[in-house]
Amino acid sequence: MRTAGDGAPRVTRRRARTRADLLAAAFAVFAAKGFGRVSIEEVCEAAGYSRGAFYSNFATLDELFFALYQERADLIAGQVADALAQESPALDVAASVDRVAEVLLLDVDWLLVKTDFLVHAARDPAVAEALLGHRARLREAVADRLRRAHGPAGPPGGTDAIARAFVAAYDGVTVQLLLDKDVDAARTWLGHLLTALLTGSGTPERGADGRT
């Protein structure tokens, strides 16, 4: 049995590093091949670890996959919350939209992994429930900022409805990005959509490329 002492913190750090390495390797392999085509052995080989190291951190490949999704989903929720946070109770729409569009995670490899996860969740009620929880936290990060900006009455259209539309806008832009790989265009279009949502200005004008 391990006793407390000078060695314990080092073991903790080593295990955390092993876990981080496995997640990073899995992300690269999942993005390249797809979740359903990847084995535990391939993840271990990419990370440079044994199966024993894998099983000391994850019980199954599904568990690692969910941990990977959770890591990115929490990052996105944090990015939105930070971008919308301000000292003033008033919401500066233009500045907030610029910050969100600038920092929000728009990465083609992540979108490939996310799409695999969505398909996986659609076939597994337990995974779907967990995914819905992450999406709810992202919506809440948006809704909380809107409530603080507009007070109990909320913005036109309702706080929860706008928060849901916010997440839907992100989903739509990321689908387009997955197809055309144009990150700059995705950030620009996301800014247009969020401005329309937060100001109630209606549908953004059609872009030069015909997107709506």
Side-chain angles (χ1 to χ4, degrees):
M1 179 182 298
R2 185 183 301 124
T3 59
D6 293 339
R10 288 194 294 273
V11 170
T12 300
R13 287 194 295 270
R14 183 165 65 247
R15 181 170 183 178
R17 176 60 183 272
T18 300
R19 180 184 174 87
D21 288 345
L22 287 166
L23 286 171
F27 179 84
V29 177
F30 289 153
K33 300 185 65 174
F35 173 70
R37 298 185 176 94
V38 173
S39 67
I40 290 175
E41 288 77 9
E42 287 174 292
V43 172
C44 292
E45 181 179 356
Y49 290 110
S50 66
R51 287 176 63 93
F54 179 94
Y55 286 118
S56 70
N57 287 276
F58 304 103
T60 64
L61 202 58
D62 278 14
E63 184 179 318
L64 181 149
F65 193 38
F66 184 73
L68 188 63
Y69 184 90
Q70 179 175 342
E71 182 181 77
R72 295 305 197 282
D74 288 346
L75 170 63
I76 292 170
Q79 288 174 329
V80 171
D82 290 345
L84 294 178
Q86 295 182 22
E87 294 292 337
S88 169
L91 181 66
D92 184 335
V93 171
S96 296
V97 166
D98 284 347
R99 285 196 298 271
V100 171
E102 181 181 354
V103 306
L104 197 58
L105 180 64
L106 291 174
D107 176 74
V108 173
D109 284 346
W110 159 240
L111 298 182
L112 290 168
V113 174
K114 176 187 173 185
T115 300
D116 278 345
F117 193 84
L118 289 171
V119 173
H120 184 53
R123 295 189 172 97
D124 188 322
V127 177
E129 183 177 357
L131 176 57
L132 288 171
H134 284 295
R135 292 174 66 81
R137 283 201 292 277
L138 177 56
R139 290 196 304 270
E140 184 56 30
V142 178
D144 178 67
R145 183 63 188 94
L146 294 174
R147 282 192 291 268
R148 288 189 286 117
H150 293 276
T159 300
D160 290 339
I162 290 179
R164 287 180 178 276
F166 187 106
V167 176
Y170 175 70
D171 286 343
V173 167
T174 55
V175 168
Q176 184 68 35
L177 175 60
L178 189 59
L179 297 175
D180 66 18
K181 312 295 194 295
D182 191 338
V183 176
D184 290 338
R187 292 198 185 282
T188 298
W189 192 237
L190 180 62
H192 292 332
L193 289 172
L194 297 184
T195 298
L197 286 171
L198 295 175
T199 62
S201 61
T203 304
E205 295 181 1
R206 185 183 296 271
D209 59 0
R211 296 179 197 170
T212 55

